[in-house]
């Protein structure tokens, strides 16, 4: 059993599927809603910090930044988490600077919802940002004014809605898988070792804030070179910088790295960037116009590219054979969950026994996430035909482990693979 994420995002999907049916629009509905909400939250926060003009510029910068645009289309938890963490930190700030402790209750509620969305990071990340900010302000004693007892009572009441029954039902298995694999293991063991490099989130920033980052960085570097000193910061800028820097620095320390991990830093960065562009209206207008044109043009590239990666077209081809009483397999390293989603067919990963042993789920390792059905040539049923989706890259290996009288019955959409059929597979003795 795998406990990949808490319940909140799955509830979003259930509501969307119930209202719109099980389709792509429904799956993307709530991520898009929360992404849109995030833009309005950015406007509200920046306008409250400065003025409406800064709020407008901030929201435009955020909405037209490449990473935000990308994540807003994805069926993942991150836009929901973005909103909850953002409101938690905004509420803390207002409570702190306006001397209104009741704002902190909103922070506890939002942190609870963030933990129901993503896990412990929902409280640890905003909590760490608050602690660092108070340390910078030399005001750590302010923690005692943050309604700790009633606040955490509210927080634990919210998270207990899901965590308590999960523990009562699954016991230590839940703790080992959810906290052990999907939290502790992410920090200590890289799921994708090639990405575990010290400059990972620097690259994400440079790419993710296209096109707004380069003019801003150029201006800041030029100003620093001319004045040879860092500008003095007010409390607003200290809070925004603490928020913007803490997120990527913390996740850079994690062994496992993902593009979306640093996503919560985008609001404060957009607001900080707005301070540069609000004084350069012509440059802002030109870049905003170019950004819109770029994203419209990108759709003509992104849609076919995404379709290709999703294997939606291949699934439509495979679905032609859905009514056959067949057993469907896919060649090694080519397993795609979307092939199953779009075709409505259960597809098995076919590999020899030694390789299956390497990739089958094992406790305490990242293989625990390999939840696709797996089988070996020796285990293939002999009472029904076998239909195989074989990519050109893996064809030689596939027919080496599963030799037989395979017949081509169709070709994949990109022409780089074929669909084969064999009436009865008889494994070769080794």
């Amino acid at each position: 059993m795998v406990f990949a994420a808490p319940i909140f995002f799955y509830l979003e999907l259930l509501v969307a599927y119930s209202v719109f049916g099980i389709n792509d629009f429904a799956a993307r509905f709530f991520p898009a809603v929360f992404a849109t909400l995030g833009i309005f939250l950015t406007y509200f926060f920046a306008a409250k910090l400065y003025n409406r003009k800064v709020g407008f510029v901030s929201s435009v910068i955020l909405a037209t930044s490449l990473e935000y645009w990308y994540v807003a289309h994805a069926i993942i938890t991150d836009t929901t988490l973005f909103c909850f963490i953002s409101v938690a930190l905004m509420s803390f700030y207002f409570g702190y600077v306006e001397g209104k402790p009741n704002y902190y209750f909103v922070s506890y509620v939002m942190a609870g919802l963030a933990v129901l969305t993503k896990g412990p990071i929902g409280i640890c990340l905003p909590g760490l940002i608050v602690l660092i900010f108070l340390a910078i302000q030399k005001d750590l004693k302010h923690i005692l004014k943050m309604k700790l007892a009633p606040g955490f009572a509210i927080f634990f009441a919210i998270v207990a809605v899901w965590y308590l029954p999960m523990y009562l039902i699954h016991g230590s298995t839940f703790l080992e898988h959810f906290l052990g694999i999907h939290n502790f293991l992410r920090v200590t063991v890289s799921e994708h070792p090639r990405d575990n490099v010290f400059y990972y989130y620097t690259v994400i920033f440079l790419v993710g804030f296209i096109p707004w980052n380069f003019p801003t960085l150029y201006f800041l570097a030029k100003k620093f070179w001319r004045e040879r000193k860092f500008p003095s910061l007010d409390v607003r800028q200290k809070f925004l910088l603490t928020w913007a820097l803490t997120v990527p620095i913390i996740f850079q320390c994690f062994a496992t790295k993902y593009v979306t991990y640093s996503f919560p830093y985008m609001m404060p960065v957009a607001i900080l960037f707005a301070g540069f562009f609000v004084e350069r209206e012509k440059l802002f207008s030109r870049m905003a116009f170019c950004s819109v044109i770029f994203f419209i043009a990108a759709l003509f590239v992104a849609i076919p590219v995404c379709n290709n990666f999703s294997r939606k077209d291949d699934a439509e081809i495979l679905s032609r054979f859905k009514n056959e009483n067949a057993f469907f397999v896919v060649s090694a390293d080519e397993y795609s969950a979307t092939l199953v989603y779009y075709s409505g067919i259960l597809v098995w990963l076919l590999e020899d026994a030694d390789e299956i042993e390497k990739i089958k789920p094992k406790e305490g390792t990242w293989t625990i996430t390999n939840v696709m059905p797996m089988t070996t040539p020796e285990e293939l049923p002999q009472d029904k035909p076998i239909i195989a989706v074989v990519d050109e890259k893996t064809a030689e290996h596939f027919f080496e482990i599963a030799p037989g009288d395979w017949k081509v019955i169709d070709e994949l959409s990109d022409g780089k693979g074929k669909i084969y059929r064999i009436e009865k597979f008889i494994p070769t003795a080794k």
Side-chain angles (χ1 to χ4, degrees):
M1 184 174 293
V2 177
F3 305 91
I7 192 65
F8 197 93
F9 184 70
Y10 298 108
L11 291 177
E12 292 178 12
L13 290 175
L14 285 172
V15 171
Y17 287 155
S18 299
V19 175
F20 303 111
I22 300 177
N23 52 59
D24 289 359
F25 175 83
R28 299 184 192 278
F29 179 76
F30 277 106
V33 166
F34 278 96
T36 304
L37 178 60
I39 295 169
F40 283 103
L41 288 172
T42 302
Y43 170 83
F44 168 77
F45 191 41
K48 186 85 170 175
L49 288 176
Y50 296 98
N51 53 58
R52 292 183 179 180
K53 188 174 183 180
V54 175
F56 174 75
V57 173
S58 301
S59 60
V60 171
I61 289 174
L62 182 68
T64 56
S65 292
L66 182 60
E67 184 180 352
Y68 200 85
W69 181 83
Y70 167 75
V71 175
H73 293 74
I75 309 170
I76 50 179
T77 61
D78 293 87
T79 57
T80 305
L81 183 70
F82 176 90
C83 290
F84 290 152
I85 286 181
S86 296
V87 175
L89 289 168
M90 290 160 57
S91 300
F92 159 77
Y93 180 82
F94 293 143
Y96 179 75
V97 299
E98 296 179 12
K100 297 179 179 179
N102 287 338
Y103 274 114
Y104 298 139
F105 289 121
V106 179
S107 293
Y108 291 115
V109 171
M110 291 298 108
L113 293 175
V115 172
L116 284 181
T117 301
K118 195 75 171 181
I121 199 69
I123 182 68
C124 294
L125 186 59
L128 183 60
I129 292 169
V130 167
L131 285 174
I132 294 174
F133 171 72
L134 291 176
I136 292 171
Q137 290 292 102
K138 299 179 181 179
D139 194 15
L140 283 171
K141 64 180 181 297
H142 185 82
I143 296 172
L144 300 176
K145 302 177 183 179
M146 292 178 59
K147 306 285 187 181
L148 293 178
F152 274 104
I154 293 172
F155 168 80
F156 285 116
I158 291 172
V159 301
V161 169
W162 182 73
Y163 285 84
L164 182 59
M166 291 298 288
Y167 176 72
L168 293 176
I169 294 170
H170 302 287
S172 60
T173 301
F174 167 66
L175 297 179
E176 291 168 5
H177 282 240
F178 180 73
L179 296 179
I181 298 294
H182 291 282
N183 288 274
F184 181 74
L185 196 64
R186 288 186 188 279
V187 177
T188 57
V189 180
S190 179
E191 186 175 2
H192 308 290
R194 68 182 183 278
D195 295 333
N196 190 17
V197 291
F198 71 92
Y199 53 82
Y200 185 84
Y201 289 110
T202 301
V203 174
I204 296 304
F205 166 74
L206 293 175
V207 174
F209 265 100
I210 289 175
W212 303 99
N213 49 9
F214 295 109
T216 309
L217 294 175
Y218 171 76
F219 165 78
L220 292 175
K222 185 177 179 181
K223 184 177 181 181
F224 176 76
W225 181 258
R226 184 172 60 248
E227 299 177 1
R228 302 296 175 91
K229 66 177 183 179
F230 290 101
S232 58
L233 304 175
D234 60 28
V235 66
R236 298 169 298 186
Q237 294 165 326
K238 288 178 182 178
F239 182 69
L240 292 171
L241 275 172
T242 302
W243 181 351
L245 292 175
T246 300
V247 175
I249 290 173
I250 289 300
F251 285 116
Q252 183 60 47
C253 297
F254 284 22
T256 296
K257 295 175 174 62
Y258 279 109
V259 171
T260 56
Y261 276 5
S262 61
F263 193 59
Y265 84 143
M266 295 199 74
M267 178 187 288
V269 173
I271 297 173
L272 290 166
F273 278 9
F276 165 72
F277 284 101
V278 77
E279 298 175 357
R280 296 162 177 80
E281 293 184 3
K282 287 186 178 180
L283 177 61
F284 170 73
S285 299
R286 291 170 182 169
M287 294 198 65
F289 176 77
C290 291
S291 296
V292 173
I293 297 300
F294 169 77
F295 285 121
I296 292 174
L299 286 174
F300 292 96
V301 177
I303 291 175
V305 169
C306 290
N307 275 338
N308 184 50
F309 275 101
S310 72
R311 304 195 67 177
K312 185 176 182 180
D313 293 339
D314 293 343
E316 291 177 355
I317 295 171
L318 190 64
S319 63
R320 299 172 190 169
F321 312 102
K322 187 174 182 178
N323 294 328
E324 296 193 26
N325 182 30
F327 189 86
F328 295 84
V329 298
V330 67
S331 59
D333 299 325
E334 290 299 318
Y335 196 92
S336 169
T338 52
L339 192 64
V340 178
Y341 171 76
Y342 286 116
S343 68
I345 295 172
L346 178 62
V347 181
W348 293 68
L349 174 65
L350 182 67
E351 196 37 283
D352 61 38
D354 290 339
E355 289 301 316
I356 291 288
E357 184 61 31
K358 292 178 184 178
I359 63 175
K360 73 179 183 180
K362 299 180 184 67
E363 295 293 335
T365 71
W366 279 117
T367 59
I368 200 72
T369 61
N370 294 335
V371 295
M372 73 285 280
M374 308 175 193
T375 190
T376 65
E378 292 76 19
E379 296 171 329
L380 288 174
Q382 296 189 24
D383 58 345
K384 60 176 64 177
I386 311 298
I387 293 180
V389 181
V390 183
D391 189 274
E392 278 186 357
K393 295 181 295 184
T394 57
E396 181 178 353
H397 176 70
F398 179 84
F399 293 117
E400 180 181 327
I401 65 170
D405 190 21
W406 295 91
K407 307 293 184 185
V408 177
I409 57 176
D410 215 323
E411 188 171 297
L412 298 183
S413 58
D414 59 2
K416 295 182 179 180
K418 294 180 174 63
I419 299 178
Y420 294 84
R421 178 189 175 100
I422 191 170
E423 289 302 320
K424 184 177 181 179
F425 181 79
I426 301 177
T428 303
K430 294 184 179 180

